[in-house]
Amino acid sequence: MNAFDWAFALEILPRLLDAALTTILIAVSGFGIAVVLGLFLALGRRSRHRWLAWPTGALVEFIRSTPLLIQLYVVFYVLPNYGLSLTALQAGILGIALHYACYTAEVYRAGLDAVPRAQWEAVTALNLAPLAAYRDVILPQALRPILPALGNYLISILKDTPVLSAITVVEIMQRAKNIGSETFRYLEPITMVGLFFLILSLGLAWLVRRLENRLETAR
Amino acid sequence: MTTLSTHTATPADTPQDAPMVAFRGVTKRYGELTVLDHLDLQVAEGEKVAIIGPSGSGKSTLLRVLMTLETIDDGVIEVDGQPLTHMPDANGSLVPASARYQRGVRGMVGMVFQSFNLFPHMTVRQNVTEAPIRVLGLRKAEARQRAEELLAMVGLEDKLEHYPAQLSGGQQQRVAIARALAMRPKVMLFDEVTSALDPELCGEVLNVIRRLGDAHNLTMLMVTHQMGFAREFADRVCFFNEGQIHEQGTPDELFGNPQRERTQAFLSAVNEAH
Ligand SMILES: Nc1ncnc2c1ncn2[C@@H]1O[C@H](COP(=O)(O)OP(=O)(O)OP(=O)(O)O)[C@@H](O)[C@H]1O
Ligand SMILES: [Mg+2]
């Protein structure tokens, strides 16, 4: 009973892989949105205009200080009361993207703060408008050192995707639990899910480290 | 050697003898510390003014407020007759300048920094073409041609595709001068532009500035610790002390026959150090 049943594992593999695609979809699209949104949150927070900087800062701190699970509940179960109905998958992607945007915003902020003040002075002396200043001068310098940190958030998002099962998204972990309750065998599906996360996380971590090394040597 | 017109002709409505730069009662404070104290200074078009004085006397601050890198607490700064930090409203009274208005006036001023402040991720060519393309709206080809002319003038026509990190300090500073000139300013500010350089690299930068002085009707304000260069190059030398112009005159007057005790003490201290 307790031995790993290879035949059973092979039998459930297609169902697990199918759900794995959902997990990867959530992680990649959630990360994609978080990376873009986080940049805007960081820029908003740095704005000279208080009416923009203050609410942005408050939002970022609020989201960073509350659990992802609660935010997912709000997006999926509460927002429909205000007219925004999303599928579970959409709500899950939106929730995880918003959550992690607030973390990537802090990474961007660190990167932006690390650009020397002298660069801003050169930008002012050349009369560059804020858009061109950020796009051509400040961001390229701010981004390079933080790319690895951003990459690490892709790994974090991946490992947080099982939380979405709480709002009925059938990602790989939920599929494993379903298989378990249908067949009363948990050993194989849970082990396989663990391996799935392990392999993907290690692979991504390796890519991030390679990126880090390339940035080092390119200096 | 290419000749370059640094700016367009003075508009007809500006009187010929109106100053290119005017500080009127300008005060700048950092908290308790008054760095510029009701400062008055007028610089004529094409005039070369050297600013000397002890450390902390407000020399850099003078240039920085003119470049709008710092705000001022009182007074008015005018460039070519236009107020820099304020603008006239519909009734003709002065109100704080909008960002847009300020960008217009600031465009007449260029600055070169002690630490060069080149954009490290851009080539020399990109450093020089970036602002003319983005701010002046030059076409790429025009901007490149302007960059090539200016880089030839500073003797770096063979370094167009280099990155700043591949250049010596003196070469970087010459690129920075070309980058500022590419915006065709009427007023150029130099803040100790040779202080970060080894002595043997100073000469090449000073030579470029010297040539600028000859070739262009460019107004220059230059903070420097190099008394020899100030004496030879400037039309007027201002000695700064405690946020005010303590004494000023032609180089011969100020260096040859300083009137005030503080000036004499400073100059003899500088002479001893050399
Ligand atoms: N951002 C700032 N905050 C507070 N104090 C400042 C700031 N910038 C400059 N100061 C102070 O203002 C005074 C004048 O500074 P400034 O840089 O204009 O002097 P300086 O004449 O250029 O001196 P140096 O020859 O050393 O470059 C100094 O006492 C300096 O410490
Ligand atoms: Mg200084």
Side-chain angles (χ1 to χ4, degrees), chain A residues 7-29:
Chain A
F8 178 60
L10 206 61
E11 185 191 318
I12 62 174
L13 186 63
R15 288 183 69 196
L16 284 178
L17 284 182
D18 174 58
L21 287 181
T22 307
T23 294
I24 292 171
L25 171 75
I26 296 165
V28 169
S29 51

Side-chain angles (χ1 to χ4, degrees), chain A residues 9-55:
Chain A
L10 206 61
E11 185 191 318
I12 62 174
L13 186 63
R15 288 183 69 196
L16 284 178
L17 284 182
D18 174 58
L21 287 181
T22 307
T23 294
I24 292 171
L25 171 75
I26 296 165
V28 169
S29 51
F31 179 69
I33 299 171
V35 160
V36 175
L37 190 60
L39 176 59
F40 284 101
L41 290 174
L43 294 178
R45 209 172 174 178
R46 289 171 63 91
S47 167
R48 275 178 294 139
H49 305 293
R50 279 228 204 116
W51 56 262
L52 183 59
W54 196 86

